[in-house]
Amino acid sequence: MEQATIIGIDLAKRSFQVHGARPDGSVAFRKKLSRAKVLDFVASQPRCVVAMEACASSHHWGRAFGDQGHEVKLIPPVYVKPFVKRQKNDAADAEAICEAASRPTMRFVAVKSREQQARGMLFRTRDLLVRQRTQTINALRGHFAEFGVIAPQGPAHVERLADAVEDADSGLPEPVRELGALLLVQVADLDEKVGELDNDLRQQAREDEETKRLMSVPGIGTLCATAIQAFAPPMESFRSGRDFAAWLGLVPRQSSTGGKPKLGKISKKGQRDLRRLLISGAMATVGGAVRRGATKDPWLARMLARKPRMLVAVALANRMARIAWALMTKNEYYRAPQPTA
């Protein structure tokens, strides 16, 4: 078997397709391996580039191959697809991964550490429980509305639904009150679990210096700071804060031709959870400035004076992303801009 400089692996649950390419791009080997034999086979190869599509288990395999001394490159699947030749099968996918990894301008995904993935799981578990709580409350509101019991949206108004369940004169049939009590117990249980996870996030934030630096930015709280550390790639991989904001999709979509630039709505590329949290934090900052009727930030004051509130919030989210990049690369705390005389 001839030596390969790039090994492309099409990951799966049990059956892995491996494609080896020489420096000139020719085929060194093609193999189909079971899950148990992949590590031993890659370990037997001379140190080279091991490329895979960025998927659910790719970070685990990336850490394992990296420990063996190989250079690991993870490629977004959308960038691999153009290199697939005709038929779609595992062998063609593995070859396409090698082709994509050999491109000098290809963009890669950084391999996440176990700690970073653990933080991501904590965030996603909390997000799942919050969605389940919202679904349960909305289901309860919808059922009770059919019997004339109306309550506003949000967890803050669950007490009104609980009072209707406890009130025998509320007009709710007995089976409805029993089912409503069952749903209320589920809401309370989910609320308690979300609170426990929030406490875990706050505890981690108090112990981590980088999280404290991120939280010094107005509009970035514990949840957003933790999400940035969990989901964002190393900030050193971006040339500037503008590149990080573009990766998040907080820049206008371009449709330009013939030297005529045409900009549209934000592209919404990159990590959507981070984008959502940054925009939510920006909306809270903008809303506070509007309610107070003034702000100490001269840039925000100028924007609010001439732009719609939602547009200002997206622009502020872009600015917050660039500030977060600067703080994490320079290891500094946020310093508020001083108004000019």
Side-chain angles (χ1 to χ4, degrees):
M1 186 179 297
E2 298 186 45
Q3 181 175 345
T5 56
I6 299 180
I7 299 177
I9 304 179
D10 184 50
L11 300 176
K13 292 181 180 178
R14 299 180 181 87
S15 178
F16 291 63
Q17 185 70 37
V18 181
H19 181 98
R22 303 188 186 95
D24 61 356
S26 59
V27 179
F29 55 81
R30 291 190 178 100
K31 292 183 70 69
K32 185 177 181 180
L33 302 172
S34 65
R35 185 182 185 91
K37 297 180 179 179
V38 173
L39 275 178
D40 291 338
F41 174 79
V42 176
S44 67
Q45 300 299 310
R47 292 186 179 182
C48 61
V49 174
V50 178
M52 299 168 285
E53 287 184 328
C55 62
S57 60
S58 60
H59 295 279
H60 161 71
W61 289 109
R63 291 191 295 268
F65 297 145
D67 292 341
Q68 295 175 348
H70 297 288
E71 180 184 357
V72 178
K73 293 185 176 181
L74 304 183
I75 311 172
V78 68
Y79 293 159
V80 175
K81 188 175 181 181
F83 295 94
V84 177
K85 299 173 182 176
R86 289 183 178 267
Q87 303 297 330
K88 170 70 172 68
N89 53 56
D90 293 345
D93 287 347
E95 183 178 356
I97 291 171
C98 276
E99 289 284 347
S102 66
R103 299 299 94 188
T105 58
M106 181 55 62
R107 297 177 181 177
F108 301 101
V109 177
V111 178
K112 293 182 179 180
S113 65
R114 300 171 69 90
E115 293 74 18
Q116 194 174 10
Q117 284 192 295
R119 285 192 175 193
M121 183 176 178
L122 174 59
F123 173 84
R124 294 199 183 283
T125 301
R126 180 194 179 279
D127 205 38
L128 174 63
L129 295 178
V130 169
R131 289 200 307 271
Q132 290 177 344
R133 181 180 64 182
T134 302
Q135 291 169 355
T136 307
I137 293 174
N138 287 341
L140 191 61
R141 289 178 58 250
H143 289 312
F144 279 20
E146 297 178 359
F147 296 94
V149 178
I150 306 299
Q153 295 182 4
H157 303 286
V158 174
E159 195 65 32
R160 187 177 302 187
L161 300 174
D163 293 341
V165 169
E166 296 174 359
D167 187 4
D169 299 326
S170 60
L172 297 175
E174 188 62 27
V176 174
R177 292 173 57 200
E178 293 177 358
L179 293 173
L182 179 64
L183 291 176
L184 286 170
V185 170
Q186 184 174 352
V187 170
D189 184 50
L190 290 170
D191 202 40
E192 181 181 357
K193 292 177 180 177
V194 170
E196 292 174 356
L197 294 181
D198 285 339
N199 290 334
D200 291 342
L201 288 171
R202 283 191 288 268
Q203 180 64 28
Q204 290 183 13
R206 284 193 292 267
E207 297 173 355
D208 191 275
E209 192 66 25
E210 192 172 70
T211 307
K212 293 179 182 178
R213 286 197 293 269
L214 289 172
M215 291 172 59
S216 66
V217 182
I220 295 183
T222 305
L223 192 61
C224 185
T226 305
I228 290 175
Q229 292 178 290
F231 299 125
M235 291 298 171
E236 294 76 16
S237 61
F238 299 104
R239 292 177 299 177
S240 65
R242 293 179 182 274
D243 287 354
F244 178 51
W247 178 81
L248 287 171
L250 290 170
V251 295
R253 181 188 296 272
Q254 296 187 28
S255 180
S256 306
T257 183
K260 298 179 180 179
K262 298 175 67 176
L263 302 180
K265 300 178 180 179
I266 59 173
S267 65
K268 295 186 178 180
K269 302 294 183 181
Q271 224 289 333
R272 60 181 180 181
D273 294 311
L274 288 182
R275 186 175 58 253
R276 169 172 57 88
L277 290 171
L278 284 170
I279 292 178
S280 296
M283 281 294 294
T285 303
V286 170
V290 171
R291 286 191 299 271
R292 291 190 302 269
T295 175
K296 295 181 180 179
D297 188 340
W299 177 88
L300 184 57
R302 290 195 303 270
M303 289 289 289
L304 286 172
R306 57 192 178 91
K307 296 292 184 181
R309 189 182 302 183
M310 188 62 199
L311 188 150
V312 175
V314 174
L316 180 58
N318 179 296
R319 184 174 176 235
M320 289 162 55
R322 289 185 278 120
I323 292 173
W325 175 88
L327 298 184
M328 294 179 73
T329 53
K330 298 179 181 179
N331 296 328
E332 296 180 358
Y333 281 84
Y334 175 75
R335 296 189 297 271
Q338 299 299 321
T340 56

